[in-house]
Amino acid sequence: MREWLSIYLKGVCMGAADIVPGVSGGTIALIAGIYDRLIAAIAALDPRILATIPGLASTEGRTRFREDLFEMDVPFLLVLGAGIGTAVLLMSRLIHAAFEAYPAVLNGFFFGLIAASAVVIYRVTDVNTPGRIGALLVGAILAFVVSGAAESDGQASLLLVFLAGAIAISAMVLPGISGAAFLYILGQYEYMLGSLTAFVDALVGLLGGGSVAVAVEPGVVVVVFMMGALLGLLTMARLVKRAFDRNRMATLGFLVGLMIGALRLPVEEAAAETDVWTTGLIAAIVLAVVLGAAVVLGLDYYTDSLDYTEETTV
């Protein structure tokens, strides 16, 4: 139980990191000493185990099924996922409320997080060849063009939500960039926070005799996102890791470019959410930018021995 509690708490820390753009749950996994185990467990997942479910009717089938689950380290993933989910549920509500009350300041905070993350990863990246420079430029241009282009104003296509889940989960294998950063770039971050908050509120309301219909719309969005995340866990996470194995520096350069290009979004959002610029508001935004950068740079300072470019075999 002590081991499972430790894994759960590490998942809470990972979830708290991944819910904000720019702070990586993968970095927390490295700090906590479970990164290699996480990558190995993801690589070991085999959907063919579903074919053995009909055999659960027999004692032998149940025993084999349980052995297969432990061989793939599924219990570890479930406990870690429970911790991540707990943090996401709690912090998503806080961040959603902050978006409602202080949108410009919060976007300033995200600007600091993303900009500092770009600096941290660039520091360990040798962008010294035409190919690597090209990868960085492609990432920057792509993020600049895409940032906010698919932004959801209270609704989004389920296909986009599905793809966002698949893309965001791939960040689990990327120390240095979070899944929330990908959602932010795609313009789905605030929408997903709102959908998750509305879904949880609707579920709580059901306990008091609330309507099931209220939970359906946000519930569908959350379920579709999770289905996309599951597919991404089995496919895209491996593709991203393969890209790292084949050309690590070019891939890191591309990620740096993504974050640089994505800086367009918090600037535009802060401007769009502000009708009157006052000295106090400008000071608050600047302070938020500095605070966001300090969080990432401080984390990097205290984990300087960790190598984002270290190769991990999948």
Side-chain angles (χ1 to χ4, degrees):
M1 288 300 298
R2 181 177 298 177
E3 179 187 0
W4 293 126
L5 178 59
S6 174
I7 293 171
Y8 173 81
L9 293 176
K10 291 174 181 178
V12 170
C13 293
M14 286 181 63
D18 255 330
I19 194 64
V20 293
V23 181
S24 169
T27 299
I28 302 300
L30 276 171
I31 297 170
I34 59 172
Y35 184 70
D36 288 337
R37 184 177 180 182
L38 173 62
I39 297 302
I42 292 174
L45 288 176
D46 188 349
R48 288 178 297 182
I49 193 176
L50 298 176
T52 66
I53 291 180
L56 295 178
S58 67
T59 302
E60 181 182 353
R62 289 191 295 271
T63 300
R64 183 173 180 179
F65 184 75
R66 187 175 71 88
E67 290 175 350
D68 288 343
L69 290 180
F70 275 90
E71 184 177 350
M72 291 188 292
D73 216 0
V74 170
F76 163 76
L77 290 176
L78 291 176
V79 174
L80 187 70
I84 293 172
T86 300
V88 169
L89 287 175
L90 293 176
M91 291 197 62
S92 62
R93 182 173 297 277
L94 294 176
I95 297 174
H96 182 64
F99 260 121
E100 295 290 332
Y102 310 104
V105 175
L106 188 60
N107 277 288
F109 180 68
F110 289 163
F111 182 96
L113 288 173
I114 296 171
S117 295
V119 171
V120 167
I121 299 181
Y122 182 79
R123 184 175 57 83
V124 296
T125 305
D126 293 326
V127 186
N128 54 5
T129 67
R132 294 172 184 177
I133 295 173
L136 189 150
L137 292 176
V138 168
I141 294 172
L142 179 63
F144 185 85
V145 172
V146 171
S147 289
E151 190 169 0
S152 302
D153 184 16
Q155 60 181 357
S157 75
L158 293 181
L159 176 60
L160 181 57
V161 170
F162 183 86
L163 292 176
I167 293 172
I169 200 66
S170 65
M172 184 177 290
V173 300
L174 299 175
I177 186 170
S178 69
F182 285 123
L183 288 180
Y184 194 67
I185 292 171
L186 291 171
Q188 298 300 299
Y189 181 70
E190 188 175 357
Y191 174 69
M192 288 308 306
L193 285 180
S195 296
L196 180 59
T197 300
F199 182 53
V200 173
D201 287 344
L203 291 181
V204 173
L206 288 177
L207 300 178
S211 171
V212 176
V214 178
V216 172
E217 184 176 348
V220 169
V221 173
V222 172
V223 170
V224 170
F225 180 85
M226 292 178 65
M227 290 174 61
L230 179 60
L231 177 65
L233 194 64
L234 297 173
T235 58
M236 292 196 67
R238 297 189 182 193
L239 292 176
V240 169
K241 204 66 185 70
R242 185 175 301 175
F244 262 68
D245 293 337
R246 295 188 63 179
N247 199 327
R248 184 165 297 269
M249 288 301 167
T251 304
L252 284 171
F254 179 76
L255 292 177
V256 171
L258 283 179
M259 287 182 280
I260 293 173
L263 291 175
R264 163 194 172 187
L265 185 57
V267 173
E268 289 188 347
E269 286 293 297
E273 295 291 345
T274 304
D275 296 324
V276 179
W277 291 90
T278 64
T279 303
L281 178 60
I282 293 174
I285 293 175
V286 171
L287 181 62
V289 171
V290 173
L291 179 60
V295 169
V296 174
L297 296 177
L299 180 62
D300 179 65
Y301 176 81
Y302 285 106
T303 59
D304 193 52
S305 61
L306 300 179
D307 187 0
Y308 295 126
T309 64
E310 180 182 359
E311 293 194 10
T312 303
T313 302
V314 171

